[in-house]
Amino acid sequence: MKLFVQTLGCAMNERDSEHMIAELESKEGYTLTDDATQADLILINTCSVREKPERRLFSEIGQYAQQKKKGAKIGVCGCTASHMGAEILRKSSAVDFVLGARNISKITQIIHKPKAVEVDLSYDDSLYAFEGVRSSGVKALLNISIGCDKSCAYCIVPHTRGKEISIPLDLLLAEARKLAQNGIKELLLLGQNVNNYGARFSSAHRQINFSGLLAELAEIDGIERIRFTSPHPLHMDDEFLHEFARNPKVCKSIHMPLQSGSSKILKAMRRGYSKEWFLDRVQRLKSLVPEVTISTDIIVGFVGESEEDFAHTLDVLEQVRFDTLYSFIYSPRPHTLAYSLDPSSHIPKDIAQARLSTLQERHREILREKAQAEIGREYIVLVENTLQDTDIVFSEGRSDNNKLIHIENAALDLGEFVRVRITRNEGGSLFGELA
Ligand code: 5AD
Ligand code: SF4
């Protein structure tokens, strides 16, 4: 029996797909294929954070329905499944079942229930021990919480993933130890709001916060690097920043989702912090960890965003000089607070598009300026990829602060740590040689 999985959206969805694959392989005898026409089961793991991919869902289902083997099943999973539920079955007769983002531990049951819909938002699988992922790589994803307790005015996620519950420390440590025994060197901790870890468990648990979790995970032999996504700027208190700076296994690269540089818009977005708080946290972080790299998410054209508000966003970009920018035009989503705001204060598409272009252009310039300074620098790189062909030999990996570096003329072992000197930069891609 063959399984094909298409995964859209964030790292959380990737982790959910990995979990479903592991369950189906171990308990139902499936093997993974990358050819949908050969599959007996096709899973589409959907994202609903913006409208466009969601609109495309039904044409995609139509395509799979045409290509698929006779008798093959199609399941729609993830965030769009959560909020559309049974409507998906009504809109497309090709779909065999619908499984919400909060219910993925039920995958091995639902495949046997024709036309079933499982989208219970209060379902709690924080204690569920998923089958282990068969990974031969050097990096692994580790879910530390499910759901999200925030109510950002633009965001559909609390509606698709339910309330936030942390996964018990013992389960996390056991999984991390198993991963280390299987050769995993780097963990990426996942949650909608990772630095709120420990705020709520589903059963009695000793008190622990995210800094405590980082300290515990760092004790595990074999785990050399710990990354996490996404933290919330509101919860970046001094204790967290000190643990980030102090813990040698915690990689010095961080995602700080700004969303907007205007305190007025941040308030309307219900982010819980101001422009000044964000800049203060960045300054503190840079003083503790000068080599830190910072990535961010920015939304332009949120309801009521004036030119002056947007100028504040550009000002933060200028002051922080982010290393990576994920930027989006505001997309109204059902079940959110902003959805029902006065339509006359919605920003016209062409203005939002122009702001997005301005933001992205300035970011690209900043990256070009920063890249020049990289030449001659040395980094410790964890080798994640290597290619040895007749006419080309290279390896690839990331520095502690998350720079992707292409190491020329070196076929290195996966999982090896090497010192690399940057020799050139081509359009933002870094090339180096063994130092
Ligand atoms: N419109 C545009 N972007 C959004 N994001 C979340 N919701 C929306 C929306 N309604 C962005 C945020 C978030 C990232 C994952 O997606 O920037 O951090
Ligand atoms: Fe991830 Fe949010 Fe998309 Fe769900 S809606 S897959 S949580 S980005």
Side-chain angles (χ1 to χ4, degrees):
M1 298 273 276
K2 291 216 157 41
L3 167 67
F4 174 86
V5 183
Q6 185 195 1
T7 307
L8 304 164
C10 62
M12 190 67 95
N13 251 23
E14 263 166 47
R15 182 58 182 154
D16 289 346
S17 286
E18 283 186 355
H19 275 152
M20 291 191 285
I21 294 164
E23 290 285 305
L24 289 168
E25 283 181 342
S26 302
K27 296 180 181 157
E28 299 287 332
Y30 280 92
T31 51
L32 204 56
T33 173
D34 52 13
D35 180 358
T37 66
Q38 295 300 311
D40 301 280
L41 175 59
I42 295 173
L43 297 180
I44 312 174
N45 199 3
T46 56
C47 174
S48 55
V49 79
R50 279 168 291 275
E51 193 198 353
K52 214 165 155 191
E54 203 174 281
R55 238 190 295 129
R56 270 193 237 123
L57 175 64
F58 289 95
S59 61
E60 267 168 17
I61 294 172
Q63 275 170 10
Y64 285 130
Q66 270 187 356
Q67 300 170 348
K68 72 172 188 158
K69 264 186 6 193
K70 201 159 172 277
K73 288 181 187 159
I74 298 181
V76 176
C77 316
C79 287
T80 306
S82 294
H83 88 94
M84 287 184 73
E87 199 188 332
I88 295 177
L89 294 183
R90 282 196 294 275
K91 278 190 158 173
S92 170
S93 59
V95 176
D96 292 281
F97 60 86
V98 177
L99 185 67
R102 185 73 176 213
N103 308 87
I104 55 149
S105 63
K106 294 186 179 163
I107 183 68
T108 53
Q109 301 162 29
I110 201 167
I111 55 169
H112 301 295
K113 295 185 196 160
K115 303 289 169 186
V117 178
E118 291 273 3
V119 290
D120 181 1
L121 261 197
S122 55
Y123 186 70
D124 172 11
D125 61 12
S126 68
L127 301 177
Y128 188 87
F130 284 94
E131 285 294 323
V133 174
R134 280 173 216 151
S135 146
S136 54
V138 294
K139 307 199 285 191
L141 307 173
L142 182 62
N143 239 18
I144 66 165
S145 60
I146 57 176
C148 180
D149 274 357
K150 294 273 180 254
S151 46
C152 299
Y154 51 80
C155 189
I156 197 173
V157 175
H159 185 82
T160 64
R161 291 189 175 265
K163 72 174 184 192
E164 187 176 319
I165 304 179
S166 300
I167 295 173
L169 179 67
D170 287 349
L171 274 184
L172 296 180
L173 291 177
E175 191 173 345
R177 283 193 196 104
K178 212 158 59 186
L179 289 167
Q181 276 160 17
N182 289 334
I184 294 294
K185 298 247 164 42
E186 182 177 307
L187 293 179
L188 175 59
L189 312 182
L190 292 179
Q192 296 304 330
N193 187 0
V194 284
N195 52 342
N196 199 35
Y197 180 80
R200 186 194 298 118
F201 291 94
S202 64
S203 55
H205 195 285
R206 81 169 161 90
Q207 230 187 352
I208 182 163
N209 61 12
F210 187 59
S211 303
L213 173 66
L214 291 176
E216 296 261 2
L217 287 169
E219 293 289 312
I220 297 176
D221 286 340
I223 298 297
E224 305 294 343
R225 284 180 166 185
I226 303 171
R227 301 186 193 275
F228 50 84
T229 199
S230 278
H232 195 299
L234 179 65
H235 301 296
M236 293 193 180
D237 54 17
D238 285 348
E239 184 195 353
F240 165 75
L241 294 184
H242 279 119
E243 180 62 24
F244 180 84
R246 175 208 69 82
N247 191 324
K249 290 191 179 175
V250 172
C251 291
K252 302 309 180 230
S253 139
I254 194 165
H255 189 59
M256 290 183 72
L258 170 67
Q259 311 302 358
S260 168
S262 154
S263 294
K264 183 192 100 191
I265 294 295
L266 287 168
K267 196 160 180 203
M269 286 176 162
R270 309 217 160 186
R271 290 290 288 168
Y273 57 86
S274 62
K275 175 187 184 188
E276 290 68 33
W277 167 263
F278 188 91
L279 288 173
D280 175 76
R281 294 295 88 189
V282 170
Q283 210 176 23
R284 184 103 191 94
L285 185 62
K286 285 185 173 176
S287 69
L288 288 168
V289 187
E291 76 277 21
V292 71
T293 56
I294 304 177
S295 60
T296 199
D297 291 345
I298 291 177
I299 299 175
V300 299
F302 185 68
V303 190
E305 185 189 69
S306 65
E307 280 302 325
E308 191 189 338
D309 293 318
F310 179 60
H312 281 292
T313 299
L314 287 177
D315 181 45
V316 176
L317 184 79
E318 218 54 58
Q319 293 198 48
V320 180
R321 297 170 69 82
F322 296 103
D323 297 273
T324 307
L325 166 69
Y326 302 96
S327 50
F328 315 99
I329 291 177
Y330 169 63
S331 164
R333 305 304 295 126
H335 313 290
T336 63
L337 215 86
Y339 195 62
S340 51
L341 290 178
D342 178 9
S344 69
S345 45
H346 280 253
I347 307 303
K349 198 88 198 187
D350 54 335
I351 295 184
Q353 185 58 56
R355 287 180 191 167
L356 187 73
S357 303
T358 305
L359 185 75
Q360 292 177 339
E361 182 47 40
R362 181 59 195 133
H363 171 67
R364 274 195 294 270
E365 274 170 26
I366 290 174
L367 285 192
R368 279 195 289 274
E369 289 161 21
K370 286 182 114 168
Q372 282 317 310
E374 292 295 330
I375 313 293
R377 280 200 184 143
E378 291 187 6
Y379 289 106
I380 303 293
V381 171
L382 171 60
V383 178
E384 296 169 14
N385 219 336
T386 189
L387 184 85
Q388 189 161 23
D389 218 332
T390 38
D391 45 334
I392 185 161
V393 178
F394 71 86
S395 301
E396 220 169 36
R398 285 186 184 268
S399 65
D400 179 291
N401 62 3
N402 211 21
K403 290 183 190 290
L404 181 64
I405 299 171
H406 190 95
I407 312 161
E408 295 178 286
N409 305 318
L412 302 165
D413 291 336
L414 297 187
E416 201 180 334
F417 285 92
V418 288
R419 178 176 285 276
V420 176
R421 187 182 313 108
I422 304 298
T423 49
R424 64 196 165 90
N425 152 47
E426 268 176 32
S429 303
L430 295 179
F431 291 77
E433 60 190 19
L434 293 179

